[in-house]
Amino acid sequence: MRLFFAVDFPGELKEEIYQDITPLFKYNGVKWVAKENYHLTLAFLGEKEEGELPQIDRAAKSVPQVNKSLIKVLDFGAFPNLKKPKVLFLKIESPGLLTLAENLRQNLKENNISFDEKPFVPHLTIGRVKEEIKDLALPKFNPKEFSFKNFYLIKSILTPEGPIYEKIKSYEILQNA
């Protein structure tokens, strides 16, 4: 099964973001992410066997909890850049999210659980560019923020219509005060 850890967005925020990015849908050469799939990936584990789940669960449960849970969704960005975008995204700012990702990744390493070790860049992918976009015009984006209390182990089922995400397990991030 294909797995990753992520923070989910509240449903109403997914809708607001979707409404804000609809002017971009005029670009045909982009595979847009379905709004129900908006999330912030903390660590992509890739293909794992059912028997590895207990070890993955232990690693996630032992992640030190964080105090700050505010996430700010700031503005548009692109990998590698806005002049020749391959991936369109929304920039994310969150010290708590950075700490959570760092702690989770460290626990995965300590538990010998392989994952994609590319540097963590907090972002919300909104589209994957399939054909070159000439003169990309980005609408004004109204920054948003929300607090998160959990992160999830998510199973990704690939289909011709796009991925289907299924939350397998939830983990609390906040210290009990």
Side-chain angles (χ1 to χ4, degrees), residues 75-92:
D75 201 0
F76 293 103
F79 295 126
N81 57 57
L82 286 169
K83 291 193 188 299
K84 290 200 180 252
K86 294 292 179 202
V87 174
L88 295 171
F89 63 83
L90 291 171
K91 297 174 190 173
I92 302 294

Side-chain angles (χ1 to χ4, degrees), residues 3-162:
L3 300 174
F4 62 94
F5 283 103
V7 170
D8 199 8
F9 282 75
E12 64 277 0
L13 186 60
K14 289 179 182 183
E15 183 60 39
E16 283 180 39
I17 290 169
Y18 182 81
Q19 293 303 319
D20 283 355
I21 68 169
T22 53
L24 292 174
F25 295 168
K26 67 184 178 188
Y27 297 106
N28 296 327
V30 179
K31 173 80 170 122
W32 298 104
V33 174
K35 68 181 165 191
E36 59 271 12
N37 287 348
Y38 292 168
H39 67 274
L40 300 170
T41 301
L42 299 168
F44 180 74
L45 305 180
E47 289 294 328
K48 299 293 179 192
E49 297 296 323
E50 187 91 27
E52 294 177 87
L53 285 176
Q55 184 182 6
I56 293 168
D57 184 51
R58 276 193 303 278
K61 280 182 179 171
S62 62
V63 170
Q65 294 184 317
V66 296
N67 290 328
K68 297 191 167 110
S69 64
L70 187 67
I71 291 177
K72 295 179 181 177
V73 185
L74 299 174
D75 201 0
F76 293 103
F79 295 126
N81 57 57
L82 286 169
K83 291 193 188 299
K84 290 200 180 252
K86 294 292 179 202
V87 174
L88 295 171
F89 63 83
L90 291 171
K91 297 174 190 173
I92 302 294
E93 182 181 281
S94 174
L97 186 72
L98 289 171
T99 301
L100 176 62
E102 184 178 295
N103 292 344
L104 174 62
R105 288 161 167 253
Q106 186 59 42
N107 273 22
L108 292 171
K109 282 181 192 174
E110 289 170 6
N111 285 276
N112 297 313
I113 299 166
S114 62
F115 64 97
D116 183 347
E117 293 191 45
K118 283 188 209 123
F120 178 67
V121 178
H123 68 282
L124 165 61
T125 299
I126 57 172
R128 290 175 179 76
V129 180
K130 303 297 181 193
E131 299 169 16
E132 185 179 346
I133 298 175
K134 297 200 187 307
D135 303 320
L136 176 62
L138 296 170
K140 179 175 176 6
F141 184 80
N142 296 313
K144 297 162 185 2
E145 56 184 51
F146 70 100
S147 290
F148 68 104
K149 295 181 176 132
N150 301 78
F151 69 100
Y152 302 92
L153 177 60
I154 299 175
K155 178 178 169 182
S156 174
I157 302 157
L158 300 178
T159 73
E161 293 78 36

